[in-house]
Amino acid sequence: MAASSTTKISWRLQEFEAHSSSVSCLALGKSSGRLLATGGEDCRVNIWAVSKANCIMSLTGHKTPVECVQINMSEKQVVAGSQSGSIRLWDLEVAKILRTLMGHKANITSLGFHPFGEFLASSSMDTNIKLWDVRRKGYVFRYKGHTQAVRSLAFSPDGKWLASASDDCTVKLWDLTQGKAITEFKSHTAAVSSVQFHPNEYLLASGSSDRTVKLWDLEKFTLIGSLEGDTTPIRCVLFSSDGSCLYSGATDSLRVFGWEPDRCFDVVPVGWGKVSDLAVCNQQLIGVSHQLSSVSSYVVDLKRVKKSGGSVIQGIIQDNQPLSDPKDPKISALRRNYERPTTTCSSQRVKQRSDAERQSPEGERHSPSEDEADEKLSSAEIHNAEDYKEIFQPKNAISRTPPKISEPFPAPPEDETVLAIGRQMKDIISTFPDKQQALPPPSSTPVQRVEPTVVSYAKRPSPSAANVAPSVPTPPPPQTQPPITTAKTKAQPKIIPSSRNEPIGLNVADFLPSSPNNRAAALSDEEALSQIKKGHDTMCVMLSSRHKNLETVRAVWARDDMKNALDTAVSMNDLSIVVDILNIINLQPSLWKLDVCTTILPQIDKLLQSKYESYMQTGCTSLKLIMKHFWMLISDTLKAAPSVGVDISREERHQKCRTCCRHLKNLSNIVKNKAEQVGRHGSTFKELQLLMAPLYDSL
């Protein structure tokens, strides 16, 4: 058993219901990798120990959905920002709120703790970045310059700079004490979602929806590397603790990058869906993602991941020799290292400005008495006293939170006994549209890699298994294949058909009398009933959430117009809602406008790559409609000679056409690749490829 577990490179650690409504954000504790904070539409922040399914405590006080959450480096404090723009800070050791900060005019988009001192940074949809001294009310500095929402904030290791990544495709570097931008990096072609400082050197990494990671030299303020290869937007980036490589998290995959020269050391398929945060713990990389009300955690064994040598991206240069040790003086001398102060952040200059800046009329929304009342209403409900005392109230101060556990998270075993016990789990396929479900390769033969959509997870059914979405039986293999004598080689379908002859969530074979050779898989009445109920609660939550979201979209459509309703559907980050709306407007081409195309095209990218046939069909229908009715307008507008004078409406139309053309260019690559498939899906994409032929000619 021990030997077989070492063959796994990645696996799903757990999946659990984190909130009573949809989860909107989450964050890992970077020091230990074992603490997790989640925020939801139920206005709560829940604290968890990674690998344990029971909530340690719930932090209440927010009156609107929590949009952003962050844990500080010591893992003593958690800060959360809400949809209304309020920020609340809790002390986990004493289980109470420390401060409520008011000042932003729109929902909070990102938060960051300063490495030293009592400061934190926040950003909002109002495009402002604010630096707060949490010991007082009101912000210290406000940094203005971005034109769209800021999605990620990071402080430099020496605490002197702040980096911000924005939807306006830029990364800005700010001087904290001067309160102004030092420089701006503009090489990304789409929204920048993540930014991270190198732990030692003057180097900055940024990940973007343009599917690239870029590296910036902070001495010369120049681009030194553009790391490509991901086929989906970059969702988070993380430097290794020694700074020798960079981990890049995208949908269902992890890449390990090196730079100078640019190279991809390794690619690990992981079924984590849209990963939201990464952390390293005991030579294991922990990734967490959320979908509706559930949260999933995944583990990648870094001891089995290549972190040096390899080939330059695009395979231009083959180099089998490992790179020099990052501790080599020749390598470290290439760039300056941060000078970390021996005391706390030199906040004297900040304090001098803070007294004058703090009396801003927009810095306080409520009177002091109202703020105090808010803080009294905020509370921390401890659900698991035993875990709480172990993690946040250790008897020995040296064993700070979370406890130092030398053992890594164990990989699920692959031996025959456990496979027999967990037999009914092997065909589970998630009904959530844009999350790949983790499945085990049920074989005791050592393997070095798992397929992109498969992650080893053959543990016995745990209490959290009840939260897994209903299963769909795997169809029998074609007769042209060799006979299959065991269930161990049964393949998982890559595309879930839109019409099914079997009920979702039930495997009929589980309820039939077992054969003499397979008695270990026989189910008692209790187990059979449990199998029938499996996924019921999750399905109810999912359907209730979907009904609520559709009601919201319907209300917006009735109050405003179809474009606003569509924007609302997209903002819910639920493809099923987008598909429902598209199925309606696809039948009425007269409803479509250029504005609608700019909103829909990024969603079509997700639909065409979905594992659900019905989603692919809806995406294809929408793309055909856009090509037939809008391509000529887009092409003529982009080819037209510039007009004389100022024509604002023409400029706006030209900008929309450029945006549409960029998205269509990305979609053309997807269509071209999928047109090579055999069968019904290949035929559909071949038809689309012909329809997009004018686009190929113009590129």
Tab-separated table of all heavy atoms in Angstrom, residues 320-338:
chain	number	residue	atom	x	y	z
A	320	ASN	N	19.100	19.076	-21.165
A	320	ASN	CA	18.894	18.053	-20.152
A	320	ASN	C	19.740	18.290	-18.905
A	320	ASN	O	19.686	17.530	-17.957
A	320	ASN	CB	19.219	16.669	-20.727
A	320	ASN	CG	18.246	16.286	-21.826
A	320	ASN	OD1	17.065	16.585	-21.706
A	320	ASN	ND2	18.742	15.656	-22.874
A	321	GLN	N	20.553	19.341	-18.928
A	321	GLN	CA	21.371	19.632	-17.767
A	321	GLN	C	20.586	20.487	-16.784
A	321	GLN	O	19.949	21.449	-17.168
A	321	GLN	CB	22.641	20.386	-18.205
A	321	GLN	CG	23.516	19.585	-19.159
A	321	GLN	CD	23.993	18.293	-18.534
A	321	GLN	OE1	24.336	18.269	-17.354
A	321	GLN	NE2	24.005	17.218	-19.297
A	322	PRO	N	20.627	20.141	-15.501
A	322	PRO	CA	19.892	20.962	-14.518
A	322	PRO	C	20.488	22.355	-14.417
A	322	PRO	O	21.672	22.565	-14.676
A	322	PRO	CB	20.065	20.176	-13.211
A	322	PRO	CG	21.298	19.368	-13.408
A	322	PRO	CD	21.351	19.034	-14.879
A	323	LEU	N	19.649	23.307	-14.051
A	323	LEU	CA	20.128	24.668	-13.857
A	323	LEU	C	21.007	24.731	-12.619
A	323	LEU	O	20.971	23.858	-11.758
A	323	LEU	CB	18.944	25.627	-13.692
A	323	LEU	CG	18.061	25.802	-14.915
A	323	LEU	CD1	16.947	26.783	-14.578
A	323	LEU	CD2	18.853	26.315	-16.095
A	324	SER	N	21.764	25.814	-12.513
A	324	SER	CA	22.613	26.001	-11.341
A	324	SER	C	21.755	26.156	-10.101
A	324	SER	O	20.623	26.614	-10.172
A	324	SER	CB	23.479	27.252	-11.531
A	324	SER	OG	24.243	27.145	-12.714
A	325	ASP	N	22.326	25.779	-8.982
A	325	ASP	CA	21.620	25.954	-7.707
A	325	ASP	C	21.310	27.432	-7.517
A	325	ASP	O	22.181	28.284	-7.690
A	325	ASP	CB	22.529	25.460	-6.578
A	325	ASP	CG	21.789	25.380	-5.261
A	325	ASP	OD1	20.948	26.256	-5.014
A	325	ASP	OD2	22.073	24.444	-4.491
A	326	PRO	N	20.062	27.768	-7.163
A	326	PRO	CA	19.724	29.181	-6.993
A	326	PRO	C	20.555	29.882	-5.923
A	326	PRO	O	20.619	31.090	-5.892
A	326	PRO	CB	18.244	29.152	-6.597
A	326	PRO	CG	17.981	27.764	-6.136
A	326	PRO	CD	18.917	26.898	-6.905
A	327	LYS	N	21.178	29.089	-5.018
A	327	LYS	CA	21.998	29.708	-3.989
A	327	LYS	C	23.398	30.033	-4.499
A	327	LYS	O	24.206	30.612	-3.778
A	327	LYS	CB	22.092	28.784	-2.770
A	327	LYS	CG	20.739	28.543	-2.102
A	327	LYS	CD	20.871	27.607	-0.934
A	327	LYS	CE	19.510	27.337	-0.306
A	327	LYS	NZ	19.604	26.384	0.798
A	328	ASP	N	23.704	29.654	-5.726
A	328	ASP	CA	24.990	29.951	-6.322
A	328	ASP	C	25.200	31.465	-6.347
A	328	ASP	O	24.356	32.202	-6.844
A	328	ASP	CB	25.017	29.389	-7.761
A	328	ASP	CG	26.420	29.459	-8.346
A	328	ASP	OD1	27.172	30.362	-7.945
A	328	ASP	OD2	26.740	28.620	-9.214
A	329	PRO	N	26.345	31.973	-5.834
A	329	PRO	CA	26.570	33.418	-5.822
A	329	PRO	C	26.466	34.051	-7.193
A	329	PRO	O	26.033	35.179	-7.327
A	329	PRO	CB	27.987	33.547	-5.252
A	329	PRO	CG	28.227	32.269	-4.506
A	329	PRO	CD	27.421	31.220	-5.203
A	330	LYS	N	26.844	33.303	-8.243
A	330	LYS	CA	26.775	33.865	-9.589
A	330	LYS	C	25.346	34.155	-9.995
A	330	LYS	O	25.064	35.101	-10.694
A	330	LYS	CB	27.421	32.892	-10.589
A	330	LYS	CG	28.910	32.713	-10.382
A	330	LYS	CD	29.479	31.749	-11.408
A	330	LYS	CE	30.964	31.542	-11.192
A	330	LYS	NZ	31.542	30.584	-12.147
A	331	ILE	N	24.415	33.271	-9.554
A	331	ILE	CA	23.019	33.475	-9.910
A	331	ILE	C	22.418	34.611	-9.091
A	331	ILE	O	21.765	35.499	-9.615
A	331	ILE	CB	22.225	32.176	-9.687
A	331	ILE	CG1	22.794	31.052	-10.560
A	331	ILE	CG2	20.759	32.387	-9.995
A	331	ILE	CD1	22.699	31.289	-12.039
A	332	SER	N	22.656	34.585	-7.756
A	332	SER	CA	22.052	35.598	-6.904
A	332	SER	C	22.613	36.980	-7.184
A	332	SER	O	21.971	37.982	-6.916
A	332	SER	CB	22.250	35.229	-5.433
A	332	SER	OG	23.639	35.127	-5.144
A	333	ALA	N	23.848	37.042	-7.725
A	333	ALA	CA	24.456	38.334	-8.011
A	333	ALA	C	23.831	39.022	-9.209
A	333	ALA	O	24.104	40.184	-9.469
A	333	ALA	CB	25.955	38.150	-8.235
A	334	LEU	N	23.002	38.294	-9.965
A	334	LEU	CA	22.368	38.906	-11.128
A	334	LEU	C	21.427	40.036	-10.728
A	334	LEU	O	21.180	40.948	-11.505
A	334	LEU	CB	21.576	37.851	-11.910
A	334	LEU	CG	22.392	36.790	-12.648
A	334	LEU	CD1	21.457	35.767	-13.263
A	334	LEU	CD2	23.269	37.422	-13.721
A	335	ARG	N	20.906	39.967	-9.530
A	335	ARG	CA	19.869	40.920	-9.146
A	335	ARG	C	19.992	41.241	-7.662
A	335	ARG	O	20.403	40.405	-6.868
A	335	ARG	CB	18.495	40.310	-9.450
A	335	ARG	CG	17.383	41.304	-9.591
A	335	ARG	CD	16.155	40.628	-10.209
A	335	ARG	NE	16.335	40.417	-11.642
A	335	ARG	CZ	16.560	39.256	-12.209
A	335	ARG	NH1	16.621	38.176	-11.469
A	335	ARG	NH2	16.714	39.154	-13.509
A	336	ARG	N	19.607	42.434	-7.283
A	336	ARG	CA	19.660	42.825	-5.871
A	336	ARG	C	18.724	41.971	-5.018
A	336	ARG	O	17.699	41.505	-5.499
A	336	ARG	CB	19.244	44.289	-5.725
A	336	ARG	CG	20.360	45.278	-5.936
A	336	ARG	CD	19.835	46.693	-5.747
A	336	ARG	NE	19.397	46.941	-4.376
A	336	ARG	CZ	18.767	48.038	-3.995
A	336	ARG	NH1	18.473	48.978	-4.879
A	336	ARG	NH2	18.410	48.201	-2.733
A	337	ASN	N	19.088	41.826	-3.763
A	337	ASN	CA	18.216	41.150	-2.801
A	337	ASN	C	17.576	42.184	-1.888
A	337	ASN	O	18.121	43.262	-1.675
A	337	ASN	CB	19.000	40.137	-1.959
A	337	ASN	CG	19.328	38.885	-2.741
A	337	ASN	OD1	18.983	38.778	-3.915
A	337	ASN	ND2	20.008	37.950	-2.114
A	338	TYR	N	16.410	41.842	-1.350
A	338	TYR	CA	15.726	42.757	-0.446
A	338	TYR	C	16.482	42.860	0.874
A	338	TYR	O	17.025	41.869	1.375
A	338	TYR	CB	14.298	42.271	-0.162
A	338	TYR	CG	13.417	42.269	-1.381
A	338	TYR	CD1	13.100	41.083	-2.023
A	338	TYR	CD2	12.904	43.451	-1.893
A	338	TYR	CE1	12.287	41.066	-3.145
A	338	TYR	CE2	12.094	43.450	-3.013
A	338	TYR	CZ	11.787	42.254	-3.636
A	338	TYR	OH	10.990	42.245	-4.740
